[in-house]
Amino acid sequence: MDFDLTPEQQALRQLARDFAQKEIAPVAALYDEREEFPLPVYQKLGEIGILGMVFPEQYGGGGADLVSLAVVTEELSVVDVPVGVSESVNGMVGSIITFFGNQQQKDQWLPPLAKGRMLCSFGLTEPGAGSDAMAISTRASLEDGQWVINGTKCFITHAGTPISGLIIIAVVTGES
């Protein structure tokens, strides 16, 4: 088995490395000090195609694989872990919508996520479970055609930013 990066993956790695040095490194400490989400940095990631790289092309993405996502996340995180995490969560959420969303959800959510015009929040962490997905207790049940969610989440990634627009919550829907 060949574990070398493809030429496309190498090019994405270099793009992310150059971007991190030029655009993130000069401002990372300032955003940390202000405890502020680096919105301009994030939007630039969308403009250059990094945020949508794993989304299907018909939704404004690049159709890249998950190894590419990991490589880019690593390069961004070398300079600033929060930016790397934000980029990887965007890719993860886009993958969830790509694989499990219906056509309307894909049309509505993937293009703005790919371009950095919207952030998706992701709620996994719970007070009693931390980020252990197998230990979560928040439940969802279908009642009269509507999903009813009962439980508590904390530390929701991307909640409360100026461009937060969608929340995906990890819940239990049946018995294990």
Side-chain angles (χ1 to χ4, degrees):
M1 179 173 241
D2 183 7
F3 290 103
D4 291 334
L5 297 178
T6 67
E8 294 83 9
Q9 292 165 336
Q10 291 173 6
L12 280 169
R13 179 177 61 186
Q14 192 61 52
L15 175 67
R17 184 178 291 168
D18 293 345
F19 181 90
Q21 289 302 318
K22 181 181 176 199
E23 301 289 340
I24 301 171
V27 298
L30 178 64
Y31 282 107
D32 283 349
E33 185 177 297
R34 291 181 183 170
E35 297 182 4
E36 186 179 316
F37 183 77
L39 185 58
V41 169
Y42 195 80
Q43 290 172 322
K44 287 178 186 177
L45 285 168
E47 290 169 13
I48 66 170
I50 285 181
L51 293 180
M53 73 177 149
V54 297
F55 298 3
E57 292 177 10
Q58 67 260 38
Y59 304 107
D65 60 6
L66 294 179
V67 171
S68 297
L69 178 66
V71 167
V72 168
T73 299
E74 180 179 51
E75 289 298 331
L76 297 175
S77 297
V78 165
V79 172
D80 190 52
V81 171
V83 172
V85 167
S86 289
E87 173 267 337
S88 69
V89 167
N90 190 76
M92 176 192 67
V93 166
S95 295
I96 291 169
I97 295 168
T98 296
F99 293 118
F100 302 108
N102 62 35
Q103 193 61 52
Q104 178 189 359
Q105 292 165 333
K106 292 174 188 179
D107 291 340
Q108 181 177 357
W109 302 114
L110 292 178
L113 289 171
K115 299 301 179 199
R117 294 190 306 264
M118 179 187 294
L119 275 168
C120 180
S121 301
F122 182 68
L124 169 66
T125 308
E126 295 185 0
S131 294
D132 178 358
M134 296 302 291
I136 64 172
S137 60
T138 298
R139 299 214 174 268
S141 58
L142 194 56
E143 298 178 16
D144 298 322
Q146 298 287 325
W147 285 100
V148 177
I149 300 172
N150 288 300
T152 303
K153 297 292 182 183
C154 58
F155 307 115
I156 296 176
T157 305
H158 295 151
T161 75
I163 60 170
S164 296
L166 168 69
I167 300 174
I168 291 183
I169 300 292
V171 299
V172 177
T173 59
E175 299 301 318
S176 54

